[in-house]
Amino acid sequence: MTTNTIFILHDNPEWIPPFAAAFQKAGVSFQEWIFHDDAGHFLNLDEEPPQGVFWSRISASSHTRNATHAKEYARAVLAWLERYGRRVVNGSAVLEFEVSKVRQYLALKKHGFRVPETSAVFGERQLIEVAKKYTTPFIVKHNQGGKGLGVRRFDDFGDFERYVNSVDFEEPTDGITLVQEYLRSKEPFITRLEFIGGKFHYAVRVDTAAGSFQLCPADACEIDRQNSLPELAGGACDINGAKNGAFSYRAEITADTPLVRQLEDFLAQYKIEVAGVEFIETANGETVIYDINTNTNYNAAVEKQAPQAAADRIVAFLSEL
Ligand SMILES: Nc1ncnc2c1ncn2[C@@H]1O[C@H](COP(=O)(O)OP(=O)(O)O)[C@@H](O)[C@H]1O
Ligand SMILES: [Mg+2]
């Protein structure tokens, strides 16, 4: 058990209570550094950081929650921590993965994984032209995504053209929209593999029959989704919000599953220590990885079904460092 102070660097206090409960249960304390717009932090570059273990949970969607510059603040702070040799879990290189699906897909593909065919479009001018190179249906999403930002399915180029030219067009925060092949799943669910300390923890099945692209597992997002339903309904796609009960523990995937082993190898290579990796099993028998989340939130129902709650494993992992 560590005598180190554990620091959690994050941008969303709503996601902390399940971890706080796990820390409390284990009798381990932690401190928070919150990268909100009004958090009022500053950095004296000539001072050393405090001693401790630092866990970065900066999320790709931080800019949607009163944390406009969380990514930039975190880049500065992580550079400072790493410069002084502090132990950082999910450090600066991992943050760059979190905020760029381009980076994720390039690395995954290099490692031999099948990823969706994707184009990254800078700005709006060439969006329609690029989309026309894809067959319908196709997907658009934000390079810096999380919580389904900008994820839409189009079955018709005319609909897409109208969308791009309308006030509904969702501008990506980094200006990069991805156009992507649509993955037709064999059964209506996606799978999310959770890794802690670089090791497999459990697999989660998320039912997508309701048609949602917003699949954040956190309770806080569940509330968000319910609140945002009327506003989102009736768009160019079928965003309905994943229903309560959409998340379940998928017991047949274990540490011995070949995909899991390959991913552990991949995560080790890129020093990604805490991650949720999402894939779809397609109708033509392929397994396609399309999202790496490095600030994972654990679904309350799954935490109860699984042999060990991920939040408890996180505390044990951080305490051992
Ligand atoms: N290429 C695709 N084909 C089919 N469904 C997709 C595709 N990409 C994303 N989705 C659906 O949209 C959800 C959100 O997309 P994702 O890439 O995970 O973005 P985010 O980073 O915002 O979570 C996925 O969990 C999946 O259900
Ligand atoms: Mg996702």
Side-chain angles (χ1 to χ4, degrees):
M1 174 80 57
T2 187
T3 48
N4 274 323
T5 306
I6 296 170
F7 294 86
I8 305 181
L9 282 52
H10 68 90
D11 55 77
N12 186 6
E14 287 183 32
W15 286 340
I16 297 302
F19 297 106
F23 272 100
Q24 195 177 22
K25 195 168 78 179
V28 178
S29 61
F30 68 97
Q31 292 184 29
E32 294 174 65
W33 285 2
I34 308 174
F35 295 97
H36 257 183
D37 288 344
D38 46 9
H41 290 304
F42 67 95
L43 195 58
N44 181 341
L45 300 192
D46 302 311
E47 272 176 19
E48 279 208 23
Q51 294 298 334
V53 164
F54 297 81
W55 175 33
S56 166
R57 281 184 47 82
I58 305 305
S59 78
S61 58
S62 52
H63 58 285
T64 65
R65 284 183 302 268
N66 184 30
T68 324
H69 302 299
K71 178 175 63 175
E72 287 75 13
Y73 293 166
R75 279 178 176 149
V77 169
L78 293 172
W80 177 61
L81 293 173
E82 290 171 4
R83 148 72 182 84
Y84 284 99
R86 292 295 178 269
R87 178 68 171 91
V88 181
V89 172
N90 281 9
S92 57
V94 175
L95 175 61
E96 298 310 318
F97 266 104
E98 172 69 15
V99 298
S100 173
K101 284 193 167 62
V102 165
R103 204 174 270 266
Q104 294 175 21
Y105 295 153
L106 290 171
L108 284 163
K109 191 166 178 186
K110 186 174 175 202
H111 209 90
F113 295 106
R114 163 89 159 90
V115 296
E117 282 171 30
T118 305
S119 294
V121 183
F122 308 138
E124 285 163 48
R125 200 160 54 84
Q126 287 184 297
L127 258 178
I128 293 157
E129 210 178 305
V130 172
K132 283 188 174 156
K133 297 194 171 82
Y134 288 74
T135 50
T136 53
F138 61 90
I139 289 274
V140 291
K141 61 172 77 167
H142 292 179
N143 177 51
Q144 182 178 336
K147 70 171 198 182
L149 282 178
V151 183
R152 289 175 183 242
R153 167 187 159 164
F154 287 92
D155 297 85
D156 181 273
F157 289 114
D159 285 348
F160 183 59
E161 207 160 343
R162 277 186 287 282
Y163 165 64
V164 172
N165 293 318
S166 75
V167 290
D168 292 336
F169 179 72
E170 292 179 71
E171 273 204 39
T173 190
D174 65 356
I176 304 177
T177 301
L178 306 183
V179 180
Q180 186 167 92
E181 91 177 278
Y182 176 72
L183 303 165
R184 220 174 283 279
S185 56
K186 189 168 60 189
E187 292 176 66
F189 67 84
I190 65 106
T191 303
R192 177 157 162 147
L193 303 175
E194 296 296 353
F195 296 85
I196 297 168
K199 299 284 168 224
F200 177 68
H201 189 68
Y202 58 49
V204 181
R205 171 187 161 130
V206 189
D207 290 321
T208 50
S212 174
F213 294 137
Q214 299 185 304
L215 304 177
C216 172
D219 272 1
C221 290
E222 190 61 50
I223 297 160
D224 256 14
R225 265 195 298 273
Q226 283 161 7
N227 290 341
S228 63
L229 283 186
E231 186 191 324
L232 288 172
C237 68
D238 46 0
I239 291 177
N240 296 314
K243 297 237 181 336
N244 266 327
F247 295 83
S248 59
Y249 170 57
R250 197 175 168 192
E252 75 274 19
I253 297 183
T254 69
D256 293 327
T257 302
L259 178 70
V260 167
R261 289 176 176 227
Q262 289 152 15
L263 277 166
E264 282 182 346
D265 191 51
F266 171 83
L267 296 175
Q269 185 175 328
Y270 289 92
K271 296 190 168 54
I272 302 173
E273 296 182 272
V274 180
V277 181
E278 295 174 357
F279 68 88
I280 287 178
E281 290 157 285
T282 67
N284 52 13
E286 292 184 296
T287 297
V288 186
I289 300 179
Y290 63 85
D291 189 22
I292 299 176
N293 304 274
T294 64
N295 77 315
T296 207
N297 292 298
Y298 305 107
N299 180 263
V302 177
E303 288 282 83
K304 289 199 190 97
Q305 291 162 23
Q308 186 192 20
D312 293 336
R313 178 71 198 113
I314 286 274
V315 175
F317 163 61
L318 293 173
S319 305
E320 284 156 12
L321 296 175

